[in-house]
Amino acid sequence: MTAFFVSRIKVNDPTKMQEYAAATGPTIAAHGGKLVLRGASSATLIGDEAKQHMTSVVQFPDLDALNAWFNSPDYQQHARLRDEAGEMQFVSYQAPAA
């Protein structure tokens, strides 16, 4: 079943965020991932204001591929840069939902 990786990021250092995105993009593709959405919110319809965050959604063939990417040395070598770039929340989803 298709899996989705959703990140919500409060960017603290835009330069490091750009470096992180550039460095990790190829690691996603190497595991069959495809960027579906990346950007800031257009409007917050309900709940806390989201303008200070950016969101990305990446589609993977399945949860195994998503987890293999996330746990791969190729991706994890960028953990320090990720942590310096901003405050992040990562969530995985499987579709269709069980």
Side-chain angles (χ1 to χ4, degrees):
M1 283 185 252
T2 302
F4 294 90
F5 171 82
V6 178
S7 65
R8 184 171 185 219
I9 304 165
K10 180 180 178 186
V11 177
N12 293 331
D13 186 325
T15 301
K16 288 186 179 184
M17 188 66 228
Q18 289 178 347
E19 289 175 37
Y20 170 74
T24 59
T27 69
I28 291 169
H31 289 272
K34 173 176 77 168
L35 184 65
V36 176
L37 173 136
R38 179 175 60 202
S41 66
S42 298
T44 300
L45 304 177
I46 294 177
D48 295 335
E49 180 58 51
K51 286 209 183 273
Q52 65 180 341
H53 293 88
M54 65 178 290
T55 299
S56 67
V57 178
V58 178
Q59 180 179 348
F60 285 89
D62 53 39
L63 278 175
D64 288 341
L66 188 158
N67 289 325
W69 161 73
F70 185 77
N71 294 308
S72 72
D74 288 341
Y75 172 71
Q76 286 299 323
Q77 71 179 332
H78 304 292
R80 182 174 180 197
L81 181 58
R82 176 188 65 211
D83 296 343
E84 292 172 352
E87 300 166 36
M88 304 193 188
Q89 177 189 45
F90 293 168
V91 181
S92 63
Y93 297 88
Q94 189 169 320

